[in-house]
Amino acid sequence: MLAQPRIKHPARGIVLLALLLTLALMAVALMGAVEVWSFERQRETEAELLYVGDQYRLAIEHYYYATPGAGKTLPTSIDDLVEDQRFPVPVRHLRRAYADPVTGQAFELLRNGEQISGVVSSSTAPTIKRSGFSRADSAFEGFETYNQWRFLFSPPVSGKTSRKLPSPLSHPPVASGGKP
């Protein structure tokens, strides 16, 4: 038997090279997609932090103005915001105690003595958003880390109220004609 001459297939090397190049391009595209996803996830977390922080600020404000009598007070615990026991029927100023969206832990509390005046994230991570905040959060303009975003309610000085909230015991007003 005669040995058959070996035939070279130059196309095999080109196919392998094309396959490696395709895999390299897919890896680069995947890295870019992960970076975009990570950036978008951080934006969503920031938006959630702004929402939750504002909920705390509004709950503290509502608690303050709902205080019966002339001596207005701030809450002493988050539980006071979730279930205010100062009334015959407990009042909820906050649906639940929210965790800090950035860290997943409880917010740090800002206090005036024993009373809570606000919350702040403990994260020192850099922010994406540095401008274009809502009016309530306009003080955050230019801040570079999340722990600089302080969701704070400052009671008015010397009893001057800037806003009157309805009593939690009052009913909504009835429109003319007796229909709500």
Side-chain angles (χ1 to χ4, degrees):
M1 221 193 252
L2 293 172
Q4 292 189 358
R6 195 171 211 190
I7 301 173
K8 294 185 178 183
H9 296 292
R12 282 188 183 169
I14 292 174
V15 170
L16 184 59
L17 184 62
L19 180 62
L20 288 174
L21 185 60
T22 302
L23 288 174
L25 289 174
M26 287 175 46
V28 169
L30 187 58
M31 287 182 354
V34 166
E35 188 174 325
V36 167
W37 176 83
S38 175
F39 191 75
E40 283 303 310
R41 177 71 182 123
Q42 186 176 356
R43 280 200 185 278
E44 290 171 6
T45 301
E46 278 187 3
E48 188 177 351
L49 176 62
L50 290 168
Y51 173 77
V52 170
D54 284 337
Q55 292 303 302
Y56 272 106
R57 180 182 14 232
L58 291 170
I60 293 168
E61 180 180 9
H62 192 265
Y63 181 96
Y64 178 83
Y65 285 115
T67 302
K72 303 295 184 194
T73 62
L74 294 170
T76 57
S77 73
I78 297 299
D79 293 336
D80 291 344
L81 296 174
V82 175
E83 194 167 344
D84 187 353
Q85 297 290 335
R86 302 176 297 172
F87 302 97
V89 176
V91 175
R92 290 182 160 296
H93 304 285
L94 191 65
R95 286 181 175 223
R96 62 183 175 93
Y98 296 99
D100 176 355
V102 179
T103 64
Q105 304 296 318
F107 278 97
E108 289 184 12
L109 302 177
L110 302 172
R111 294 187 176 270
N112 286 336
E114 292 295 315
Q115 299 178 337
I116 299 170
S117 59
V119 295
V120 64
S121 175
S122 60
S123 175
T124 57
T127 64
I128 293 174
K129 187 171 185 141
R130 304 269 168 95
S131 63
F133 290 95
S134 68
R135 186 174 182 195
D137 298 328
S138 63
F140 302 160
E141 297 278 336
F143 287 161
E144 297 181 1
T145 60
Y146 294 116
N147 64 348
Q148 293 175 316
W149 291 5
R150 296 176 175 263
F151 300 93
L152 184 66
F153 169 68
S154 298
V157 180
S158 70
K160 295 179 185 176
T161 58
S162 60
R163 162 177 169 182
K164 178 73 173 153
L165 295 176
S167 165
L169 301 176
S170 67
H171 298 285
V174 176
S176 61
K179 294 183 181 178

